[in-house]
Amino acid sequence: MSEHSHTTEEHGHEEHAGLSKGKIWKVFGILLLITVIEFIIALVLIPKGIMTQHFGNYVYIVLTLLKAFYIVAYFMHLKYEKLGLQLALTVSFIFIIYFIVLMLTEGGFLNIHMMHH
């Protein structure tokens, strides 16, 4: 037996630690771009009436979830985890998104009906 044999566990750990400066700057750039888009929507598109506040809220949610995905995937190393954990977290995340959308819809419905009474 050779002393230089590598297990798959060792290779996985090397890959896990492989968040280079280039990748960090790339993810930072993506997060910055999404934030800039959110600011443009908030400060230009909605005040000028190009986009409605209602539609803007949904766009904000999508963009914020996209940022959350990048943060979780890269900085919390979820990208390197096992498929089962990824699926469990993804399914949970989808339910959370569903409930947020449901609450926004119901909240809007309540708001409309409370104003007319």
Side-chain angles (χ1 to χ4, degrees):
M1 291 261 180
S2 169
E3 287 180 30
H4 298 291
S5 66
H6 293 303
T7 62
T8 54
E9 210 172 58
E10 285 174 329
H11 284 295
H13 199 69
E14 287 169 16
E15 195 178 299
H16 180 85
L19 205 68
S20 67
K21 281 185 181 180
K23 276 186 189 169
I24 290 172
W25 279 111
K26 181 182 174 193
V27 173
F28 172 77
I30 291 168
L31 294 173
L32 183 67
L33 180 69
I34 294 170
T35 304
V36 166
I37 292 169
E38 288 175 337
F39 271 98
I40 290 170
I41 290 169
L43 301 174
V44 179
L45 298 182
I46 292 173
K48 289 189 176 183
I50 298 169
M51 184 183 287
T52 64
Q53 181 71 51
H54 184 72
F55 183 70
N57 287 344
Y58 287 106
V59 175
Y60 285 137
I61 291 168
V62 170
L63 291 173
T64 303
L65 290 172
L66 192 62
K67 283 198 292 192
F69 165 77
Y70 269 100
I71 291 165
V72 170
Y74 286 93
F75 296 114
M76 294 174 70
H77 306 294
L78 184 63
K79 189 178 167 196
Y80 305 107
E81 292 297 338
K82 300 220 177 326
L83 183 65
L85 180 63
Q86 285 181 346
L87 286 174
L89 290 172
T90 305
V91 170
S92 304
F93 205 57
I94 289 169
F95 276 110
I96 291 168
I97 294 166
Y98 172 72
F99 285 122
I100 289 171
V101 170
L102 195 67
M103 292 300 146
L104 282 171
T105 307
E106 290 297 314
F109 183 77
L110 276 174
N111 191 20
I112 290 167
H113 286 285
M114 294 295 236
M115 291 173 78
H116 292 291
H117 285 61

